[in-house]
């Protein structure tokens, strides 16, 4: 006498393979939908056209002999700005852009203290690859640099792209 099909091993084994595959697939879809990476900008064409404008702003920074070094210690950020040919220390817009996680990007407007240093705090601990931009409020020139944080060395910001 044979057992009914639902009491046998092989039908359940055969049904388990696709069932496990479906569960793993749905789990992967959920994980990837919650942790997506922003690698491609939606307005890539406009950003590409803006590169030429950015290069001209870098050249202006070189012409003015502007230099800066950014030191990051935990959440404290110190910008030592050499004003070059500028008459006074301008208010600066400091932008930290993470290479892949756009939700960690932040911008801070800062003013110089009496010694000419700019100090502020980041919203979170800075770890990983970052792109740093420094520009005045009016956007006439720009300094930029890249760094992997944490680091004990100051980040040198420069104007014209180094070759």
């Amino acid at each position: 006498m044979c057992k009914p099909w639902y009491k046998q091993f092989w039908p359940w084994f055969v049904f388990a393979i696709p069932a496990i595959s479906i569960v793993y697939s749905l789990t992967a879809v959920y994980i990837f939908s919650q942790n997506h990476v922003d690698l491609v900008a939606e307005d890539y064409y406009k950003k590409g056209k803006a590169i030429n404008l950015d290069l001209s702003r870098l050249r202006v920074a070189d012409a003015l002999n502007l230099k800066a070094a950014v030191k990051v210690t935990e959440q404290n950020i110190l910008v030592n700005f050499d004003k070059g040919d500028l008459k006074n220390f301008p208010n600066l817009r400091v932008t930290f852009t993470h290479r892949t996680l756009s939700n960690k990007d932040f911008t801070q407007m800062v003013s110089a203290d009496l010694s000419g240093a700019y100090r502020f705090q980041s919203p979170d601990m800075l770890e990983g690859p970052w792109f740093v931009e420094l520009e005045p409020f009016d956007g006439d020139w720009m300094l930029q640099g890249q760094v992997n944080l944490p680091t004990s060395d100051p980040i040198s910001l420069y104007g014209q792209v180094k070759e």
Side-chain angles (χ1 to χ4, degrees):
M1 189 132 196
C2 270
K3 296 186 213 173
W5 71 269
Y6 55 87
K7 290 186 178 182
Q8 303 218 3
F9 168 75
W10 290 109
W12 293 110
F13 179 75
V14 171
F15 293 150
I17 294 172
I20 290 171
S21 299
I22 291 170
V23 169
Y24 282 151
S25 299
L26 292 176
T27 303
V29 166
Y30 175 75
I31 289 171
F32 293 141
S33 68
Q34 297 299 316
N35 300 310
H36 68 283
V37 176
D38 299 324
L39 293 178
V40 179
E42 291 181 18
D43 56 347
Y44 66 92
Y45 181 72
K46 288 181 185 177
K47 288 186 186 255
K49 285 176 52 177
I51 288 173
N52 290 336
L53 177 61
D54 287 345
L55 291 176
S56 66
R57 295 190 314 157
L58 295 172
R59 289 186 194 103
V60 170
D62 277 347
L64 292 171
N65 297 316
L66 303 176
K67 296 178 184 107
V70 179
K71 182 148 179 74
V72 179
T73 310
E74 295 179 5
Q75 285 184 266
N76 299 320
I77 299 173
L78 170 66
V79 179
N80 290 315
F81 179 65
D82 179 2
K83 63 181 180 148
D85 297 338
L86 294 177
K87 294 179 184 173
N88 53 20
F89 288 98
N91 292 333
L92 297 178
R93 179 183 305 125
V94 183
T95 303
F96 278 76
T97 308
H98 195 275
R99 187 178 297 165
T100 57
L101 303 173
S102 63
N103 61 337
K104 291 190 173 195
D105 298 352
F106 68 94
T107 300
Q108 182 76 37
M109 292 296 295
V110 290
S111 299
D113 60 14
L114 294 176
S115 66
Y118 298 81
R119 302 173 197 275
F120 64 98
Q121 288 193 335
S122 66
D124 294 318
M125 292 292 290
L126 301 178
E127 293 180 352
W130 290 88
F131 186 73
V132 183
E133 292 179 347
L134 187 78
E135 58 187 334
F137 184 70
D138 57 9
D140 288 341
W141 49 265
M142 179 173 66
L143 298 173
Q144 65 182 4
Q146 295 180 4
V147 67
N148 280 321
L149 294 173
T151 182
S152 59
D153 298 331
I155 307 160
S156 294
L157 303 182
Y158 49 89
Q160 183 66 22
V161 178
K162 293 188 178 183
E163 308 209 9

